[in-house]
């Protein structure tokens, strides 16, 4: 188990292009989250999956953003028609449903740094 | 708008001193509180969590929670240069069934040798 893996680590794109990021969670984790972090700010929640079901989406996730987790394992986050304001670190985190009396802990990946020129 | 406030710092302490990091939150119904450490260019790493009023100790770290004052703090004893990082406070309302965390902007800690 190598932790949460994200690919690519860095992505530079031109405004208007589409980009897709991938996240591979820790293998036994059924919960997967996407957060976004801009420079000097804390991460902001974008969306949450339990297995393959997307159960929550932030208002930050405009209709240009789409996330999937087709088989309840890896997830992809696609941004269409990128804008300069989309430049940020996109963080994926995973966890498992906590057992009785236990508390959920998120494990973050290293993130994908997106730069939109 | 649920908010989590932190002083951005930097907080500078000499090696071996106690570093005290503070956080306030606006949602009185918040249930769970987390401290993450983030080195420059790296992902956040969970170092402490606390749910009940009072203190919780783990090694050199102590988290303190005062729900009446809506205040969370993190104490780092015997600070080391390797503790130099940004410390993020995060709050979970606890009413979603999953961790929809609201993060503060983080406090940058600098520990000088």
């Amino acid at each position: 188990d190598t932790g949460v893996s994200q690919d690519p680590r860095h992505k530079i794109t031109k405004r208007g292009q589409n980009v897709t990021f991938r996240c591979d969670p820790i293998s036994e984790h059924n919960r997967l989250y996407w957060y976004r972090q801009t420079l000097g700010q804390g991460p902001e929640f974008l969306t949450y999956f339990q297995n393959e079901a997307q159960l929550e989406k932030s208002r930050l996730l405009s209709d240009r953003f789409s996330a999937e987790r087709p088989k309840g394992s890896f997830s992809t986050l696609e941004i269409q028609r990128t804008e300069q304001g989309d430049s940020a670190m996109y963080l994926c985190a995973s966890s498992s449903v906590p057992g009785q009396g236990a508390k959920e802990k998120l494990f973050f990946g290293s993130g994908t740094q997106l730069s939109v020129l | 708008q649920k908010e989590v406030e932190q002083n951005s710092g930097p907080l500078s302490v000499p090696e071996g001193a106690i570093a005290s990091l503070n956080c306030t939150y606006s949602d009185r119904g918040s249930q769970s509180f987390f401290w993450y450490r983030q080195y420059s260019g790296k992902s956040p790493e969970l170092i402490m969590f606390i749910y009940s009023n009072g203190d919780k100790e783990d090694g050199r770290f102590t988290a303190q929670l005062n729900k009446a004052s809506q205040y969370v703090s993190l104490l780092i004893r015997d600070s080391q240069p390797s503790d130099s990082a940004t410390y993020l406070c995060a709050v979970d309302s606890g009413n979603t069934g999953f961790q929809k965390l609201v993060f503060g902007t983080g406090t940058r800690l600098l520990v000088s040798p």
Side-chain angles (χ1 to χ4, degrees):
Chain A
D1 178 9
T2 57
V4 179
S5 177
Q6 291 189 247
D7 184 69
R9 291 294 306 276
H10 303 275
K11 178 70 177 179
I12 300 174
T13 190
K14 293 182 179 179
R15 188 177 54 184
Q17 298 295 305
N18 299 344
V19 294
T20 300
F21 311 140
R22 177 179 170 123
C23 171
D24 286 273
I26 294 171
S27 58
E28 64 268 26
H29 285 180
N30 58 350
R31 292 185 169 187
L32 187 145
Y33 300 77
W34 286 97
Y35 281 77
R36 179 174 70 185
Q37 186 175 23
T38 54
L39 195 63
Q41 301 296 314
E44 296 174 295
F45 171 83
L46 292 180
T47 191
Y48 158 68
F49 290 85
Q50 179 148 334
N51 299 312
E52 67 276 10
Q54 187 176 23
L55 299 184
E56 177 91 0
K57 290 172 60 174
S58 165
R59 286 172 292 177
L60 293 174
L61 218 62
S62 76
D63 56 6
R64 296 185 298 106
F65 289 72
S66 62
E68 295 182 341
R69 195 183 183 198
K71 297 183 179 179
S73 56
F74 72 92
S75 176
T76 58
L77 177 67
E78 180 183 16
I79 308 174
Q80 296 182 329
R81 304 181 303 281
T82 53
E83 301 173 355
Q84 288 183 327
D86 297 331
S87 296
M89 173 77 82
Y90 289 83
L91 293 163
C92 177
S94 71
S95 69
S96 54
V97 177
Q100 185 76 13
K103 298 297 183 181
E104 182 178 4
K105 299 177 187 178
L106 295 190
F107 294 85
F108 282 88
S110 297
T112 294
Q113 180 66 53
L114 173 66
S115 297
V116 181
L117 304 179
Chain B
Q1 178 81 11
K2 298 176 183 178
E3 293 183 347
V4 176
E5 300 287 341
Q6 294 181 259
N7 188 318
S8 60
L11 173 66
S12 296
V13 300
E15 183 174 359
I18 295 175
S20 178
L21 304 162
N22 305 315
C23 170
T24 59
Y25 59 95
S26 63
D27 182 6
R28 186 169 288 278
S30 298
Q31 298 290 317
S32 308
F33 307 87
F34 304 84
W35 284 99
Y36 284 82
R37 177 176 61 199
Q38 187 172 30
Y39 293 110
S40 181
K42 303 295 186 182
S43 60
E45 173 192 11
L46 180 65
I47 54 171
M48 287 287 292
F49 56 90
I50 188 166
Y51 306 101
S52 303
N53 277 329
D55 296 359
K56 180 182 178 183
E57 187 174 319
D58 184 1
R60 295 187 297 112
F61 299 98
T62 298
Q64 299 174 317
L65 174 60
N66 184 326
K67 288 187 177 181
S69 299
Q70 296 176 237
Y71 179 90
V72 192
S73 65
L74 179 70
L75 301 178
I76 306 174
R77 289 181 299 282
D78 188 25
S79 296
Q80 301 297 310
S82 59
D83 294 326
S84 297
T86 295
Y87 289 80
L88 298 162
C89 174
V91 175
D92 180 20
S93 65
N95 60 11
T96 61
F98 60 94
Q99 283 207 349
K100 187 176 180 179
L101 298 179
V102 179
F103 283 84
T105 56
T107 297
R108 187 173 169 219
L109 173 66
L110 297 176
V111 181
S112 54

